[in-house]
Amino acid sequence: MAAPTMLLLLADGRFPAGAHAHSAGLEAAVAAGRVTDLATLGGYLRGRLATAGLVAAAFAAAARRAAWSSGRRATLARLDAELDARTASPAQRAVSRRQGRALLRAGRQIWPAATFDDLPVTPGGPHQPLTLGLVGAAAGLDPAQVATVAAHATVTGSASAAVRLLGLDPYQVQALLVRLAGACDATAARAARAAEEPPERLPAAAAPLADIHAEAHATWEVRLFAS
Amino acid sequence: MRATARLVARADGHGRTVLPELRGESPLLLRQVPAGDGGVTVYVVGGAAGPLAGDELRLDVEVGPGAVVRVHTVAASIALPGRPGPVSRMLVRATVAAGATLRWLPEQLVAAAGCAHVGDAQVDVAEGGTLHWRDELICGRHGEQPGHAEVNTWVDLAGRPLLRQSLTVGPDVPGWAGPAVLGGAAATGSLLVVDPARPAEPPAVAGTVARLPLAGGLATLWTATAADAHTLRAYLEPPTENRSWCGGAPPEPVSDQHSLAGMGG
């Protein structure tokens, strides 16, 4: 197991991979009048954890498992295609690849000795969870820790966006995150177990409104967050 | 109850589709009805109530090169609770060959209170095959909360993953009715269209319907949430040559009766 500080550094919102620019669908959900207060934010975060959070954490853990395997390039290519098939919304695919590119840039600078060249070469960039898996490997994290980073990011990104979008009390939002910590850990544990399966068997938990919100958000001319 | 059914379709070489195999058993009976255009239409006739918890149902569909098959059901499937513990399962496996067409347009699945149901679809479409695949889930009968229902749709196109989608609702599923997943909508569904003759269309969204071009090939997924089954069906009618509903941006109304409100913001 990696030193705890390494886990904290990767999970930190200040890690320079541009996470602060994304609300993970919250901005569109707020605009649609679906998230209006702390209670609806709690429902939103629980739903995100069970869907996008579980999928992202499972793929990150699977990429981390592939990192030190012999068939690494082929496995990462399969994971890339499988994650595309789980991301019906083109806007969400583009966002995942843009975030993956930003994380890859940081990873290459911070761990110059690590190899990221086996990530699939795609026009938009590598998917964020796959990149996170390899960055996690470079940082010495195990698959369960990588899944924890991914699940944690699912809730913290939207939560800090909620403070800005809804003017919620930061203490109350933090208290909500504390209440969700157990669900976050359970999601990460489930994702890490799921990551032992072959790529086609990984979780595919869908959220119709996430796709619909993401496409609506992509059409806006003015927005506070990139997603 | 355990039941299996099997449907095999072939082109007869004279522009017509024949069914060398069409067999089922209660509660999964298959009935061919006349169709005028050379293709065949088959109805799945529920021979009993259900699916009930404990039921294990499996349907295999094989559509050979050039054959055209439409599958419907005569009524909605209502997943109901049975003995405590076991779940009801419905597995549909389908293969669609090059030049073949499968239109899978069943009635809706209603997840009644207390049910525990898993619906699995595994579809392989060869390069040059055409598929319309609709999944619709109604969360509870009128005025009730649904039991546990999971709808898994796994589709490969030309041997590559095209769509992997697993929608789960029910009292034990965190956040399913909340603003990240269904936003309180009682009905949700999707329509997958794989059609090599249909030009690629850009993504579009109108209200709670989105048209999503998929990454794994020339294919489009329409996904929707709605307040009721009737509205959902209007959102998920298959597009025709002359009608590409949920049009491009700016969104067009689906029809006069179902004008879609624009999304706020």
Side-chain angles (χ1 to χ4, degrees), chain A:
Chain A
M1 186 177 275
T5 301
M6 200 63 100
L7 177 64
L8 294 172
L9 283 172
L10 258 193
D12 193 331
R14 289 163 295 188
F15 189 86
H20 62 278
H22 295 268
S23 79
L26 187 78
E27 186 172 25
V30 167
R34 297 182 193 278
V35 176
T36 54
D37 55 15
L38 198 69
T40 45
L41 176 64
Y44 183 85
L45 296 179
R46 283 186 185 86
R48 288 291 295 179
L49 260 182
T51 56
L54 175 65
V55 174
F59 274 79
R64 162 60 191 81
R65 288 176 65 86
W68 292 339
S69 73
S70 54
R72 146 175 166 144
R73 181 181 292 261
T75 304
L76 289 170
R78 280 178 70 196
L79 288 170
D80 181 81
E82 290 287 344
L83 189 50
D84 261 352
R86 284 159 176 77
T87 319
S89 149
Q92 298 217 73
R93 291 196 296 271
V95 164
S96 172
R97 293 188 181 284
R98 201 176 311 139
Q99 290 187 295
R101 208 165 51 205
L103 179 57
L104 180 58
R105 197 177 302 127
R108 284 193 199 283
Q109 297 287 327
I110 298 166
W111 290 278
T115 305
F116 297 101
D117 294 341
D118 285 338
L119 281 168
V121 178
T122 47
H127 274 302
Q128 197 274 351
L130 272 60
T131 315
L132 178 60
L134 294 200
V135 167
L141 303 192
D142 64 28
Q145 292 173 314
V146 166
T148 302
V149 171
H152 170 266
T154 302
V155 287
T156 52
S158 296
S160 52
V163 173
R164 289 174 65 189
L165 288 165
L166 293 168
L168 297 179
D169 176 354
Y171 294 113
Q172 291 299 317
V173 171
Q174 201 61 34
L176 173 62
L177 288 175
V178 166
R179 288 197 296 280
L180 287 171
C184 196
D185 288 338
T187 300
R190 197 177 150 202
R193 280 194 306 274
E196 295 171 16
E197 298 281 329
E200 67 273 16
R201 300 275 302 275
L202 293 190
L209 279 183
D211 292 337
I212 292 164
H213 284 161
E215 292 303 324
H217 190 263
T219 65
W220 298 2
E221 287 181 11
V222 179
R223 53 192 170 219
L224 209 52
F225 291 93
S227 76

Side-chain angles (χ1 to χ4, degrees), chain B residues 205-236:
Chain B
V205 63
T208 56
V209 191
R211 181 178 71 199
L212 309 166
L214 299 180
L218 186 55
T220 302
L221 186 78
W222 275 263
T223 195
T225 64
D228 57 64
H230 176 74
T231 310
L232 180 70
R233 175 58 57 85
Y235 291 164
L236 297 177

Side-chain angles (χ1 to χ4, degrees), chain B residues 58-121:
Chain B
R58 201 182 82 200
L59 170 60
D60 287 293
V61 178
E62 187 186 320
V63 188
V68 176
V69 175
R70 285 170 294 266
V71 181
H72 300 283
T73 55
V74 291
S77 300
I78 302 177
L80 294 163
R83 294 159 295 169
V87 298
S88 53
R89 290 183 187 277
M90 170 79 182
L91 167 63
V92 181
R93 290 188 303 196
T95 56
V96 182
T101 297
L102 172 61
R103 299 187 204 281
W104 174 265
L105 302 169
E107 292 305 306
Q108 294 154 330
L109 170 67
V110 180
C115 77
H117 182 73
V118 178
D120 282 308

